[in-house]
Amino acid sequence: MHRLDRQSGHPCARAFALRTRAHYNEAMSNSLHESRWLREGWGVFLLTLGLVLIICAVVTSAGWTEGLHIVTPVGLGAFAFAFLAARSRLPDPLGPLFSLPVGTALSFRLTADLIPGTDTWPQRWAWMWYRIYLFGKKALSGSSSADNLIFLLQMCLLVWVVIWLIVWFIFRARRVWDAIVLAGLLLLGTLYYAPAELTGYMILFLVVALLLVIRFNLHQQERNWRRARIPYHAGEVIFNFWRIGMLLTLLVVALAWLTPAIPMDARSRALDTLRTGWYDIEERWGRLFTTLHYRSTPSADFSGQELTLGGPRQLGDAPVMEITSLEGIHYWREVALDYYTGRRWINSDEVVVQFGSDYPPLAIARYQAQIPRNHTVTVLQPDMTVLAMAGQPTWVSIPARARVSFIQDQLAEGISYARSRLPLRIGDHYTVATLLGNASIEQLQQSEAIYPEWIRQRYLQLPDTLPERVRFLAETITDRASNAYDKATAVEDYLRHTITYNEQIDPPPAEYDAVDYVLFEKREGYCDYYASAMVVMLRAVGIPARLAAGYAQGEHRVETNTFLVRQKDAHAWPEVFFPEYGWVIFEPTAARPQIERSPASDVVAPPMDSKSPYERQPPPFDRSPDTTQAMEGEGISNTLPIPLLASLLLGAGIVLALLLALVMSRRLSTSVGDKRVEAFYARLGRLASWAGIPLQPWQTPLEQAAAIATAVPNGGAYIWQLAEIVTHIRYAEHPPKDTDLLAAARAWRSLYPCLLRAVLRRQIGRLVGILIERQREEIAFSYEQRLPLRLNK
């Protein structure tokens, strides 16, 4: 540049040289001015801050529960702390270790401030730890929890970690795409599960993310220009970036938004391989946070784990499923509901087991006068997951997850709710093996009303707010009946003749119990209200009953012996418990035909004689609530128990922490010599022993390398290279060359991660083996302890 200024005397050339020098000086001065804190420029900084604010706004507006506003200060704190850490001289491995305690403390403090009824910080501290303890206890025992405060704490920690990594990736690691992908994953997860509509945030995120990528790449180009001493006009380049980058970003977002979406069926098929395990995680997560609000997913499922007695309903004629079965009136139950709150019914079964297909059989209580039958369901609606099953199901042909309760350590009451592990598409089918009750009127009338304790505790439950006039009406209706069956029939007849069927009713007022309102105020309703009234009235007079929901029989096609079930066949009905015969269906809804019982001559004899039919058939597998979630295969049970899973995760975390400490304490040195190479080889032997590779002291380095390379094949070349250099150092007459020493260092750097993975696999495998063996010993011991008692019975 100076040479051009001296050699050319032309005024234009001198002016050009002066402008070029000025632009170069301007660029260099900007670089020096921003070298300490804003090497990437204000554009990257502000766009990153915008990305962080979008993440905080999305999580805050998700609508899962109250108190999500504390996520915003956590996110801003993570941004500030990560930016300072990225600009410090802190070694890279120490950054995450220092950030976790700070983020945990901030999240803990903000979450504890939300605890009501606490005035001082020591009170909040104590209550917070107590609630964490209760949540951990419920999580490890597999029970459900409704503490949303712990959910807020977890969300704060998640947002802290994600935002900290985003800022670290951009300002320290210079990996802007990693930051964008991480932010996008959190955003997509929130959009998928949040009940609120957050599409606008998604569009804003795409715009900001694309601008950030373009501006960061411009910064990278500026660095290259400065290193090459290429003059450029910084202000003009940045202005063009904002102008062209914004237009390009809006164009890309518009094209992505207007492009036709992939059909739902194709997406479902592509994601089927990923869904199997994720549904189990969702199931467990739902049990831990039962009161969160989630987005309602599109599905043809009519029944869920709750049924609210609400307002009008509209059901169309669209076909839902076609069922091949024997003739007779069947109800296709999808869920059995046992807990009544006054406004809704809830399925309270908390134990989830793997059911059907190739899973080990589930021991289910058997009763007298039950006939084994099969029926095949063909799905006619997409994305169905809830299984429709008649009677008392014992097996299904597809893998499913079923909710059960246990009446003994190894004996389940029955399947109260079952869902396929994958959504079913149109045309899919499954076969159900079931037991259909076939007791006659005479048998039901002669049934002794001696109920086991587990029945009375669960199926006589009524809320304390139930008005006394409901109990009085139930007693009046059943006063002349001498047995449970006649009492149930009396209530059934009363409801069919006094309640008018109407699907367009308004929901009960907030101050009323729903059953009380229908019986005494409205006197009209649809099947949900008929069935609820009968169950509540029977419970009021001491007869155990539950509410079932699913579908009525449907249209019977005689020529094909099938039932076509439509949406308008969605139905709810009561089931009454008889000690000898199990759950028996009744029909109080006036719009449906009454149930016709088989005559006594056609009833199938009991399969076996026993005074306690619900205590038969000791199963070969342990299905107690504590061991229901056991490991699949080989024997004991078919799912992983939550305590064992927690132990595995804890052990894996300890192993990872130890390995991380080992990596930090054994960081590679840049100085290489004979002793350093020997140190590399000594570490190689130590890690090999931790990985379970037997080495003998009398073996040569090459013999030891052969043994290690067999167990770590992906690092075989580096192992042989390091062994050859060590052999040369020990036994050759002349010393190794510097190039050999540097090659040994490079080989060690490439080999070290391979060895760590081998050690990790070995240690986790040992931990899993120990825990599984201990679990099997405990189950075997428990079974041996119970076996003499069962034989005595």
Side-chain angles (χ1 to χ4, degrees):
M1 195 182 304
H2 295 286
R3 186 161 52 251
L4 175 64
D5 195 12
R6 288 195 301 269
Q7 291 178 353
S8 178
H10 196 279
C12 294
R14 286 197 299 271
F16 174 77
L18 290 174
R19 285 197 302 271
T20 302
R21 186 186 301 115
H23 294 165
Y24 178 76
N25 291 335
E26 177 191 358
M28 293 304 296
S29 63
N30 291 337
S31 175
L32 292 174
H33 180 70
E34 298 175 351
S35 60
R36 287 188 177 181
W37 298 100
L38 294 176
R39 307 186 190 101
E40 298 81 6
W42 279 102
V44 174
F45 180 84
L46 294 177
L47 287 171
T48 305
L49 179 59
L51 199 68
V52 169
L53 292 176
I54 291 173
I55 293 174
C56 295
V58 167
V59 177
T60 302
S61 306
W64 288 310
T65 183
E66 297 180 356
L68 285 171
H69 61 276
I70 65 174
V71 169
T72 300
V74 171
L76 294 177
F79 175 83
F81 187 81
F83 182 76
L84 294 176
R87 287 294 176 258
S88 68
R89 296 182 179 180
L90 192 68
D92 290 352
L94 296 181
L97 295 180
F98 283 163
S99 71
L100 289 177
V102 177
T104 303
L106 179 60
S107 302
F108 188 93
R109 176 58 190 262
L110 293 176
T111 308
D113 289 340
L114 299 177
I115 299 178
T118 54
D119 300 328
T120 63
W121 171 242
Q123 291 179 344
R124 299 189 189 101
W125 173 277
W127 271 109
M128 191 66 189
W129 279 114
Y130 179 68
R131 294 175 76 159
I132 292 175
Y133 163 75
L134 290 180
F135 176 82
K137 185 177 180 180
K138 292 180 179 179
L140 293 177
S141 64
S143 59
S144 61
S145 172
D147 194 348
N148 291 343
L149 199 71
I150 306 301
F151 173 78
L152 292 175
L153 176 62
Q154 293 180 0
M155 286 304 304
C156 288
L157 291 174
L158 176 62
V159 169
W160 174 276
V161 171
V162 171
I163 291 180
W164 195 95
L165 290 175
I166 289 172
V167 178
W168 184 269
F169 283 154
I170 293 175
F171 293 103
R172 183 64 171 259
R174 301 188 179 279
R175 292 152 51 186
V176 65
W177 277 111
D178 291 355
I180 297 300
V181 170
L182 187 60
L185 290 176
L186 178 59
L187 187 68
L188 288 176
T190 304
L191 291 176
Y192 182 79
Y193 289 105
E197 181 58 44
L198 305 172
T199 307
Y201 288 107
M202 184 66 182
I203 298 175
L204 185 60
F205 167 78
L206 293 175
V207 173
V208 173
L210 288 175
L211 287 175
L212 177 59
V213 170
I214 297 174
R215 182 64 184 90
F216 190 85
N217 281 279
L218 175 62
H219 159 67
Q220 296 289 78
Q221 286 297 113
E222 286 185 293
R223 291 184 62 197
N224 296 334
W225 293 340
R226 291 167 188 165
R227 290 174 181 174
R229 305 182 68 84
I230 298 176
Y232 67 98
H233 196 296
E236 183 178 350
V237 171
I238 294 176
F239 173 77
N240 290 331
F241 151 75
W242 288 113
R243 183 182 60 181
I244 300 174
M246 180 63 72
L247 292 176
L248 180 62
T249 299
L250 295 177
L251 178 62
V252 171
V253 172
L255 290 176
W257 203 261
L258 297 176
T259 301
I262 301 174
M264 179 64 71
D265 187 63
R267 280 183 282 175
S268 299
R269 293 177 184 273
L271 294 176
D272 274 354
T273 55
L274 303 177
R275 289 178 171 179
T276 301
W278 184 251
Y279 284 134
D280 293 333
I281 297 176
E282 288 181 340
E283 190 78 32
R284 293 179 182 178
W285 183 267
R287 292 203 307 271
L288 293 177
F289 302 103
T290 58
T291 57
L292 293 180
H293 304 289
Y294 296 103
R295 178 188 295 269
S296 57
T297 56
S299 173
D301 294 332
F302 170 69
S303 304
Q305 294 177 237
E306 297 182 6
L307 188 149
T308 301
L309 300 175
R313 67 175 189 174
Q314 299 288 340
L315 298 175
D317 291 332
V320 176
M321 53 189 170
E322 185 179 56
I323 303 176
T324 303
S325 178
L326 297 177
E327 294 184 8
I329 297 179
H330 303 302
Y331 285 76
W332 315 111
R333 185 179 66 242
E334 292 186 328
V335 62
L337 306 158
D338 59 281
Y339 190 85
Y340 179 61
T341 66
R343 304 283 298 186
R344 59 177 178 160
W345 289 91
I346 301 172
N347 177 293
S348 64
D349 286 343
E350 297 179 347
V351 180
V352 180
V353 299
Q354 309 291 0
F355 176 64
S357 186
D358 296 328
Y359 295 121
L362 180 66
I364 300 176
R366 299 284 297 271
Y367 301 93
Q368 299 181 28
Q370 287 184 326
I371 307 173
R373 289 287 184 266
N374 294 337
H375 65 268
T376 301
V377 180
T378 301
V379 177
L380 302 179
Q381 287 286 331
D383 295 325
M384 291 185 67
T385 59
V386 180
L387 303 182
M389 299 181 286
Q392 182 173 293
T394 58
W395 179 81
V396 66
S397 61
I398 60 175
R401 295 165 296 147
R403 288 186 172 271
V404 298
S405 62
F406 288 88
I407 57 181
Q408 289 182 357
D409 289 343
Q410 298 181 336
L411 189 62
E413 172 191 341
I415 305 298
S416 65
Y417 185 66
R419 300 181 64 181
S420 66
R421 290 181 63 85
L422 295 176
L424 301 173
R425 297 184 291 270
I426 296 177
D428 290 348
H429 60 272
Y430 57 90
T431 299
V432 179
T434 186
L435 298 172
L436 293 178
N438 195 37
S440 67
I441 296 177
E442 292 80 1
Q443 288 176 318
L444 296 177
Q445 288 176 332
Q446 295 171 7
S447 176
E448 298 181 5
I450 302 175
Y451 304 108
E453 181 64 23
W454 60 272
I455 283 287
R456 287 188 283 106
Q457 287 183 354
R458 187 176 189 188
Y459 296 105
L460 293 179
Q461 174 271 334
L462 288 173
D464 296 334
T465 56
L466 183 71
E468 285 298 323
R469 61 180 180 176
V470 176
R471 300 178 186 271
F472 180 77
L473 176 63
E475 293 172 355
T476 302
I477 295 172
T478 60
D479 183 53
R480 296 183 180 181
S482 59
N483 57 75
Y485 176 79
D486 289 342
K487 290 182 179 181
T489 303
V491 174
E492 181 185 49
D493 292 338
Y494 175 84
L495 294 174
R496 293 181 67 89
H497 291 90
T498 59
I499 305 298
T500 303
Y501 187 83
N502 182 9
E503 292 187 350
Q504 306 304 316
I505 64 171
D506 295 328
E511 64 273 13
Y512 278 93
D513 179 277
V515 169
D516 175 76
Y517 181 74
V518 168
L519 288 175
F520 297 98
E521 304 295 334
K522 192 69 174 177
R523 290 185 175 272
E524 59 181 8
Y526 45 90
C527 57
D528 295 355
Y529 289 94
Y530 282 96
S532 299
M534 182 168 178
V535 173
V536 169
M537 294 172 73
L538 289 179
R539 289 185 176 187
V541 295
I543 300 177
R546 69 184 185 185
L547 187 140
Y551 291 90
Q553 175 177 277
E555 177 186 346
H556 186 207
R557 298 179 173 181
V558 180
E559 63 278 4
T560 59
N561 199 26
T562 59
F563 297 90
L564 180 62
V565 180
R566 303 178 183 273
Q567 289 180 350
K568 64 181 181 181
D569 295 316
H571 191 46
W573 62 92
E575 294 182 348
V576 182
F577 184 80
F578 292 85
E580 296 89 350
Y581 307 104
W583 294 103
V584 177
I585 296 174
F586 285 78
E587 184 51 272
T589 303
R592 295 284 178 183
Q594 281 188 289
I595 304 295
E596 295 183 4
R597 311 290 174 191
S598 301
S601 58
D602 295 341
V603 174
V604 177
M608 60 182 71
D609 296 329
S610 176
K611 295 181 180 180
S612 301
Y614 44 81
E615 294 182 358
R616 307 192 194 102
Q617 293 186 351
F621 299 98
D622 191 348
R623 296 289 179 172
S624 63
D626 294 334
T627 60
T628 303
Q629 313 282 339
M631 287 194 65
E632 286 189 31
E634 298 263 334
I636 302 300
S637 52
N638 58 2
T639 50
L640 189 66
I642 292 181
L644 179 57
L645 177 63
S647 302
L648 290 177
L649 294 177
L650 179 60
I654 294 174
V655 172
L656 289 175
L658 293 175
L659 290 178
L660 181 60
L662 177 63
V663 172
M664 294 175 56
S665 63
R666 300 286 183 146
R667 296 189 64 192
L668 299 175
S669 175
T670 56
S671 60
V672 181
D674 293 1
K675 295 183 179 180
R676 193 63 182 172
V677 175
E678 289 285 359
F680 291 157
Y681 190 74
R683 294 180 192 174
L684 172 64
R686 193 177 306 114
L687 291 176
S689 64
W690 292 353
I693 304 171
L695 299 179
Q696 303 298 331
W698 45 264
Q699 290 177 320
T700 65
L702 295 178
E703 291 174 336
Q704 293 179 345
I708 300 174
T710 302
V712 190
N714 54 343
Y718 305 116
I719 295 172
W720 283 108
Q721 186 178 14
L722 187 60
E724 289 175 355
I725 296 174
V726 169
T727 302
H728 181 86
I729 292 174
R730 292 181 180 179
Y731 306 113
E733 295 181 358
H734 52 82
K737 300 178 181 179
D738 293 340
T739 55
D740 294 336
L741 299 178
L742 293 175
R746 287 194 295 269
W748 174 248
R749 292 190 184 96
S750 301
L751 178 61
Y752 197 61
C754 302
L755 291 171
L756 287 181
R757 286 193 292 269
V759 172
L760 184 61
R761 286 194 299 268
R762 166 71 174 177
Q763 298 301 325
I764 292 181
R766 290 182 58 190
L767 177 63
V768 171
I770 293 173
L771 292 176
I772 292 176
E773 186 63 29
R774 185 177 301 171
Q775 187 76 11
R776 288 182 175 178
E777 291 176 357
E778 293 177 356
I779 293 174
F781 177 77
S782 178
Y783 185 78
E784 291 174 359
Q785 293 292 107
R786 291 192 294 266
L787 185 58
L789 298 177
R790 192 177 295 110
L791 293 176
N792 291 334
K793 290 182 180 180

